[in-house]
């Protein structure tokens, strides 16, 4: 903080809001004209001056000298065309509703972008799943080998998690894309403005009615950052697996050279820095959420300056989420797989134990709990782990255990060497798991097809939302142009 | 921690899950029977034994001696009917999918309850709004008097905030009420179970397909607690206002005797403890969210024991949210209002300054920015604040300021004493704010009507969700009964 | 994110670290020379080149084109004097220990600055306390009037809270100001470097020994941000009171014009924006803490790229804490008090009820619990609240209540009108509270004296820490100069 | 929540506070007697009645029916000996100071316990380090093999981290162990109580003077939970490594059977559940911290009911931290090491590359940056990775690279086959790292010795703190006994 005034600025946030703020000004002025609140000649001057302002130069040079982006625009306007005319733009509104409107506009565009990124990630994961319907790998619980599975099944698990992120962000979008404009300071205004009109010009889906609610609430920000937190959590889990899998010990994958870095002193290093940063920035997004929650807690209505401090967190969390999804998409897309090592590890740790127990249940009719104990005996005595132990020996041991436990041999109740062999075979053990959601090939193919269809539908939905916004903003641009022209004609 | 084993228990969570867990067992056994995986005779024994277990006694006495609720039920079952039969219940599933299913079932019911509480709060706020369409009060920004407003408008702002909480929780409900059952450890199972069937019997809307996703994901918990965090934030803001308003200095409201407490040494105290605790517990819910996020961050797939630690936070946040909404409803319902004090304070601090500036704009055509400055001059010189100063003097001063600023008298441009009088009158100043979402009476009445209609629609929606669940569970109960009876017949 | 590489940069943090990084380079090179690891001629070239680099230009223009500040400096060095010589600077160290060292250096200076700010705030609060030993005000619990107190006592409560913040930051400083330099990547180095020497040259108190610990740990960051979180919490509470007290309803204080802002539409507003932002940014610091915690959670040793993401949070939290303390100091210093209103409110709400109960205990020997109930009866029947009710009537009522409750009149057990009068008198009621820590004048004066003495002692401690650092850095500068000169001589 | 009243209870916290609360009552009564505020006969009755109450029965049965523990004790007392006498206990104090005192007392004992646990963990780590001075393992950065190191060095890194946790908790202890008793509601009391005396009887180090500060502040809770958060973060990192190391892929360690669990369906599993729960509960402690911070944020002075909500979080975080340290101690103590696998992995990934580059620098005088590049070339062409490649071939390749890069052969500048062999040898490469804090044997032995000495000193410090408290409480017990006896004599 160099000066006292620096303490109340939030320049990065204001930069983010500039373009949205200009749109709000234009829509507001168009509406004021239509309602006869500002005269035609004044509207022309204001709109022409605003049109000239719309540039990077403004953001870099004019903005920093003012208290905030709204004041900056109005001040430059007044400098340009005088207070008598320029001073009319702020009629019937306040900074409170203006900032709330600008944040929602800027955020809306970011959300559409993030949703598209999420869908691209889903698409890449589906592609990878499709390529790996035959890639056997160890499945883990507690990071211990549990049962063998298929890499496609693993990728599909993430696909489904990100599909829910899509849904959540779309829901949040609905609560974001409503217009607080016209709420003024919090009590609306005595000018007969048309809130529906500005909402429509700005591409909002509807008006956020109650004027106190409109300026006081930031639940949409909490909502959106919560969605990000969930999304980033999913990304962090995938990032963690990529980091684990690219260690020497796992050696399942090799991250593409663009997404690793070297070391300043260790020439042999391939560090998965991008994945590490996705993991770390998940924590940053959590922090943004915690900040925004504790900022909003117990604030009396209506607007308090505290709400200004919400915006930078919204911006940070938005930037991180957008870029992290995008980076993850590329990492996954370019991931090289070491299928041999995966297949090799799938054998380690008696991962078919569950299938053996299930087989005993099916073939002999003993209860699952009993079968589970018999196989546990087998594991604890290390029988099944010995590579050179033949299936007949395994069956003999099982018979010995079952005789002790339930007084009967399993082989006498229908367990054959063939069934044991089958149970211990990784591939056939996986193929048995063909119920809904399981890793058997047929089911994997069905799931991939269904998810592709869903993704296309979701893409269309985003597309139509984006299209609607674009159309509105085009209309606004046309109105701005038309309002200016008509009056140009008049002025002659 | 008394013993090593205590470290891995989560008894409160297990108590919460008991009834859900029993339902899961029953639905699973019914399905196993239907698919021919367990024989009829065994099914009878299991279901009969489960039916007997369904009691508080179990939760208080049997539960604490086992590792978790699932193990407890199975163990008691096996004790009752032997391992040969009882050991079959766990066929084709795992604790991983079972716990995920039970949490979703238990949570679903809580969510329906909370949603109903939220709607009751909305209803009470609407009622209070309806009673206070004439109650003038000061409106605040930055806790400073800003403009006069109407208490109904203030209550409606909260009504709308809680309506969004309703929406969010309903969205979360959709992602909660899906069935992970049948995912087993994470790779589904080789038994030919019917996941659609158990989902239907348990009242789920659909199956959570991918079996790895089904046991690994807790995004629904993050989602739900995020909704709570938003809801509690809204409650904390209302609680804060109630605390402020019941201070000697504000003296706007008197909290009902049931929701205040006395002091151990100060006999005169009426402390708003309930409102304070709502405010404080908002922080506790934030902590639950932070915990769950950082627990889930960077967990590799599939199930890790860490996920167990999510459940107590979900339970705590659920309990707090449910009870806080309910307490707030009663506090608001029984709030006594000191309308005279509100009206008196609405006069303090020149709250009609904005309206005076707006009037100048409308009557004289000077720009808003200029009018704003003229009124600011008036305020800074303290003219308007003097109670005994007449309107003509105010107009004179304004003329003096405007002569200095723009070389013209406002009275010469159309500002009359009547208009100034009107602008400075609180009631008429509010009535002018009749645009959409404003505090004018007509608009308040329209908003109340519209919100009542919406609330009825929302109530119906919750009702139908609850009805659907209830019907499914009735069906399950019937199936359980039927399965038992048929076999009872057979056994003779 | 414009490019993939942007994702791994943290430019703001690097800017913050630049000057520290240059110091580390110089100290390292001086030591390498002293240990004979780099030759004299090479040292001259390196040091001379580093000396030229030390400028704002570098930070603004060279820095952004490199991966990080360390790489930037080395690269510019190598460009300047060639890889054959410039490439020697990085001998016997790594980016991992270098960044850890730079962060600690930069943070150390910030901490000394913040501690000084905290002490200035304590000083201002003591001054304000000293000026307000006679300023009567209502004391609150639950924001309800409880007992009368003295403003000096209130300010001293904050003084003591900030004195603990001082202590905590000093403790944190001790764990920050240790040198990780020489730990290299994590396993130290085979070069015979002298870690004690570089630590001394850089003003560190000691060496952080274990080389893996040195690069892996960020507990000092968690520690420091925790201190900030506590400090900001204390500031937020004072800020809240300033906001409350400057409302129309309280009207206890008027915030100086430099620390309020106006409104874009309400000309009469004096919004306490600075205090609101202190309150809000407290939430931002909480978020920084949560981010850093969840980033560090469960990171395997040693260095992971995740740790880079800690630094921006440390920087943000540092900036906010430093500026907030400083802003608060000025707000308090310039706060105008409305003593009449405070005194008036001290009368409202029967705040001397406790003293009346205490007096009954002392004079009549009835138990406190009984006396408390009798006074509560008095309050509930509203007797004591009636302004025109004389003392004799109060005594009569008390007698009536006590006859009913314990069968005796209080006046018969020693309670006189004089004692009742005394108890109900605000000033004398406060003066009775003269035990250690109470608000009686004598005790307030003693506390102010004692705290002034402590503050002087604390100031000296900070001074000596700062002096020690400054001396070391002076020595480093001299060594740099001397090493260069000697060799300049040699070169002729 | 079953009833409205349930909302304001915090039974678990009250149970925790019971014994502390009884001590406070006794010390307070002893002091009241000594100052002549309560008569001897009354004191006997009160103390005798309190002595009888001191039992588990009270906590389980009486406590739940009252508003809080303080009210419960007083109520039972009054039931036992009548209001006339029992009602005197609360003279000169309030629930506000009483609860603050009880929390500090209860917490103080917990802190001493946790500190002892931390020191035991340090002791076990030192023991493990001492046993593993020869255990070679791969050292990691970014979870990639970086350089070879020694397991003792790794354990010592944690030892040092936990030593800092010790320091932090000791600092926090100092701010906890001060007495708020006598502050009453917040304004102290008109009774001439002796705050120094009760502080001494309760084993506090001093009086927390300012009476408003004494009841309003919970910075000690934030401080303590921050320490826990740091401690748990360190534990979570060690837990993560144990989880990783016990995976099939790493296979470095085997967690003792007492700290693993099996699976409900996979008989072969050895899940590291305890380590996973330590990792997860770290998140819970973060949540406690977040809760307490946001509860305390912006609370006006003095006491607010919100502060009650702080205590359960303090209790939860305390329980988790105490038990987690203790569990970790046992896990580490019983950890079985697979030294062969560690040694084998230390070879994988060209971990001596840095040493080779350093050797080139030392032997040939080329700059480190250049040497780094030459070794990087070697790595990238895969030369060094080929197992069967002889040293002479490595040297040839290096010569080829250096000729290309700097126009000279390294062998011509002094690099011999012997030096290359030496650099590539894991053991000798580690032994070269013998500077302060490095992994060479001599330095490891020195560090272990020094840390043992420090630990003994730290143990003594904790011992003396505990002794001081115990002595005070013994004195209190004697005083209670003596006060009772004397008066018993008198009563005859």
């Amino acid at each position: 903080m160099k000066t006292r005034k620096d303490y109340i600025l939030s320049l990065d946030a204001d930069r983010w809001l500039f373009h949205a703020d200009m749109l709000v000004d234009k829509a507001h002025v168009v509406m004021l004209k239509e309602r006869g609140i500002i005269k035609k000649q004044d509207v022309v001057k204001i709109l022409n001056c605003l049109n000239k302002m719309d540039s990077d130069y403004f953001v870099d040079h004019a903005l920093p000298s003012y208290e905030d982006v709204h004041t900056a625009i109005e001040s430059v306007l007044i400098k340009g065309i005088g207070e008598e005319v320029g001073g009319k733009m702020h009629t019937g509104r306040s900074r409170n509703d203006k900032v709330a409107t600008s944040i929602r506009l800027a955020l809306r565009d970011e959300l559409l972008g993030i949703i598209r990124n999420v869908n691209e990630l889903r698409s890449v994961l589906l592609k990878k799943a499709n390529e790996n319907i035959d890639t056997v790998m160890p499945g883990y619980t507690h990071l211990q080998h549990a049962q063998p599975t298929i890499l496609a099944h693993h990728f599909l698990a993430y696909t489904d998690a990100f599909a829910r992120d899509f849904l959540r962000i779309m829901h949040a979008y609905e609560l974001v894309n409503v217009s607080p404009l016209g709420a003024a300071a919090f009590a609306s205004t005595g000018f007969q403005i048309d809130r529906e009109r500005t909402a429509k010009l700005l591409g909002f889906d509807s008006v956020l009615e109650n004027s106190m609610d409109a300026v006081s609430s930031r639940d949409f920000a909490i909502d959106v950052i919560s969605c990000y937190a969930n999304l980033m959590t999913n990304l962090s889990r995938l990032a963690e697996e990529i980091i684990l899998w690219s260690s020497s010990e796992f050696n399942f994958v090799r991250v593409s050279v663009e997404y690793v870095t070297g070391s300043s002193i260790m020439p042999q290093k391939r560090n998965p820095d991008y994945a590490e940063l996705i993991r770390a920035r998940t924590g940053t997004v959590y922090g943004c959420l915690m900040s925004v929650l504790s900022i909003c807690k117990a604030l009396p209505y209506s607007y308090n300056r505290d709400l200004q401090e919400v915006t930078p967190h919204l911006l940070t969390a938005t930037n991180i989420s957008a870029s992290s999804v995008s980076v993850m998409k590329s990492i996954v897309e370019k991931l090289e797989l070491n299928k041999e090592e995966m297949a090799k590890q799938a054998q380690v740790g008696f991962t078919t134990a569950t299938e053996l127990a299930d087989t005993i249940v099916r073939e002999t009719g003993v209860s699952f709990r009993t079968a589970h104990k018999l196989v546990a005996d087998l594991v604890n005595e290390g029988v099944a782990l010995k590579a050179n132990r033949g299936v007949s020996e395994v069956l003999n041991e099982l018979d010995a255990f079952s005789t002790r436990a339930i007084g009967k041999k399993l082989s006498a109740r229908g367990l054959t060497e063939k069934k044991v062999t089958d149970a211990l075979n990784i591939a056939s053990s996986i193929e048995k798991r063909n119920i809904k959601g399981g890793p058997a090939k047929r089911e994997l193919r069905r799931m991939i097809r269904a998810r592709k269809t869903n993704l296309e539908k979701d893409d269309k939905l985003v597309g139509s939302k984006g299209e609607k916004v674009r159309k509105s903003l085009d209309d606004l641009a046309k109105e701005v142009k038309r309002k200016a022209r008509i009056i140009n004609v008049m002025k002659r």
Side-chain angles (χ1 to χ4, degrees), chain A:
Chain A
M1 191 180 65
K2 280 157 210 160
T3 70
R4 177 171 54 80
K5 211 184 127 195
D6 289 339
Y7 195 75
I8 56 170
L9 301 181
S10 66
L11 201 58
D12 283 345
D14 277 342
R15 277 194 191 108
W16 182 50
L17 297 180
F18 174 71
H19 287 289
D21 229 70
M22 291 294 294
L23 290 175
V24 174
D25 280 337
K26 289 173 183 172
H28 183 65
V29 170
V30 164
M31 179 278 293
L32 288 178
K33 152 75 192 41
E34 291 172 354
R35 300 297 293 237
I37 298 168
I38 314 191
K39 280 179 294 183
K40 294 182 181 179
Q41 306 92 304
D42 295 345
V43 167
V44 177
K45 286 185 194 155
I46 293 171
L47 291 177
N48 281 336
C49 187
L50 286 178
N51 277 336
K52 284 180 209 145
M53 241 182 275
D54 211 336
S55 75
D56 289 347
Y57 182 84
F58 185 87
V59 172
D60 290 342
H61 296 88
L63 197 49
S65 18
Y66 294 96
E67 194 186 333
D68 57 40
V69 63
H70 329 297
T71 312
I73 295 174
E74 191 188 356
S75 302
V76 170
L77 182 74
I78 287 177
K79 263 193 204 156
I81 60 176
E83 185 174 302
E84 204 182 324
V85 176
K88 288 180 176 171
M89 182 171 71
H90 207 54
T91 311
R93 73 175 192 201
S94 153
R95 267 187 300 189
N96 294 354
D97 61 335
K98 203 191 172 194
V99 70
T101 310
S102 296
I103 294 172
R104 286 167 181 271
L105 277 183
L107 182 57
R108 173 184 73 186
D109 289 350
E110 303 276 7
L111 287 180
L112 289 175
I114 288 176
I115 290 171
R116 280 186 210 104
N117 288 354
V118 168
N119 284 358
E120 284 178 24
L121 175 57
R122 290 163 69 190
S123 172
V124 164
L125 283 163
L126 277 176
K127 192 167 156 286
K128 280 279 170 184
N130 204 36
E131 294 164 8
N132 286 285
I133 287 178
D134 293 306
T135 309
V136 172
M137 68 177 292
Y140 299 81
T141 63
H142 309 260
L143 205 65
Q144 297 283 312
H145 286 188
Q147 299 171 14
T149 189
I150 297 290
L151 185 56
H153 192 246
H154 202 114
F155 281 140
L156 284 174
Y158 280 107
T159 311
D160 287 5
F162 291 119
R164 287 191 298 273
D165 287 314
F166 168 85
L167 258 182
R168 273 188 285 265
I169 301 176
M170 286 308 295
H171 285 320
Y173 179 91
E174 284 165 34
L175 293 180
V176 166
N177 198 30
V178 292
S179 176
L181 195 62
F186 74 92
S188 82
T189 174
F191 289 99
Q192 291 302 302
I193 60 172
D194 183 349
R195 298 187 64 194
E196 304 281 3
R197 178 60 175 153
T198 45
K200 195 169 182 319
L201 284 169
L202 291 166
F204 284 115
D205 293 329
S206 63
V207 167
L208 186 61
E209 294 194 352
N210 185 293
S211 59
M212 184 178 279
D213 180 41
V215 298
S216 312
S217 59
R218 290 294 184 274
D219 55 324
F220 72 94
I222 295 172
D223 203 10
V224 165
I225 307 181
S226 297
C227 290
Y228 294 159
N230 233 330
L231 169 64
M232 290 298 300
T233 304
N234 286 332
L235 288 173
S236 76
R237 300 181 73 174
L238 183 48
E240 175 77 8
E241 296 204 308
I242 289 168
I243 293 164
L244 284 179
W245 293 356
S246 58
S247 68
S248 286
E249 285 75 10
F250 277 81
N251 192 22
F252 285 3
V253 298
R254 189 175 161 93
V255 176
S256 155
V257 67
E258 298 153 274
Y259 293 98
V260 295
T261 67
S263 152
S264 74
I265 64 166
M266 294 167 291
Q268 85 283 11
K269 296 295 294 293
R270 283 179 65 83
N271 299 323
D273 291 62
Y274 284 83
E276 292 173 283
L277 284 172
I278 289 173
R279 180 174 66 182
R281 287 189 183 148
T282 302
T284 297
V285 171
Y286 294 173
C288 290
L289 180 54
M290 289 303 127
S291 295
V292 171
L293 285 169
S294 48
I295 290 168
C296 291
K297 174 171 168 268
L299 280 187
Y301 276 10
S302 65
Y303 183 83
N304 300 280
R305 186 68 177 243
D306 309 62
L307 296 182
Q308 173 187 298
E309 188 72 6
V310 168
T311 316
H313 297 293
L314 193 55
L315 174 56
T316 299
T318 296
N319 284 342
I320 288 178
S321 303
S323 56
S324 298
V325 176
S326 168
V327 164
M328 182 55 91
K329 191 209 73 173
S330 300
I331 292 179
V332 172
E333 199 163 27
K334 296 175 183 170
L335 206 58
E336 297 168 41
L337 306 171
N338 185 349
K339 298 185 184 182
E340 299 76 45
E341 188 64 27
M342 288 188 186
K344 200 183 104 192
Q345 281 291 342
Q347 310 276 354
V348 174
F350 198 10
T351 55
T352 50
T354 310
E355 188 49 40
L356 180 56
D358 286 357
T359 298
I360 293 171
V361 169
R362 278 190 298 261
E363 301 306 316
T364 71
V366 305
S367 81
F368 175 76
R369 192 50 60 210
T370 306
H372 182 271
K373 284 180 188 165
L374 296 175
V375 177
D377 287 340
L378 201 68
V379 174
N380 290 333
E381 307 223 353
V383 178
L385 298 169
K386 290 174 199 161
N388 56 345
R389 184 68 54 120
V391 167
S392 66
E393 281 169 283
V394 169
L395 189 50
N396 282 344
E397 291 281 352
L398 280 171
D399 275 349
F401 294 136
S402 72
T403 306
R404 206 185 323 154
I406 55 169
K408 282 175 194 169
K409 289 187 175 184
L410 294 181
S411 60
R413 299 186 64 166
L415 191 66
T416 63
E417 285 192 19
K418 193 189 166 316
K419 289 292 176 185
V420 172
T421 307
D422 235 41
L424 296 180
N425 178 280
I426 301 256
S428 76
S429 138
I430 296 172
E431 272 312 297
K432 279 187 194 123
R433 299 169 183 270
N434 61 2
I435 60 159
K436 182 164 252 190
K441 277 197 196 65
R442 197 193 56 194
E443 179 62 10
L444 289 175
R445 287 208 186 90
R446 184 197 65 77
M447 285 198 277
I448 292 170
R449 273 195 312 274
R451 273 137 196 79
K452 272 189 184 157
T453 309
N454 275 337
L455 180 53
E456 278 162 25
K457 218 177 54 193
D458 292 346
D459 276 340
K460 255 183 214 156
L461 181 61
V462 189
S464 75
K465 296 269 176 199
E467 190 50 39
K468 191 184 160 194
V469 167
R470 194 162 41 247
K471 217 190 138 309
S472 293
L473 297 186
D474 282 354
D475 287 352
L476 172 57
K478 274 181 217 152
E479 280 300 327
V480 168
K481 220 168 160 186
R482 205 167 63 84
K483 291 273 178 326
R485 205 179 37 209
I486 290 174
I487 309 162
N488 283 340
V489 172
M490 290 177 54
K491 281 178 80 180
R492 279 168 213 160

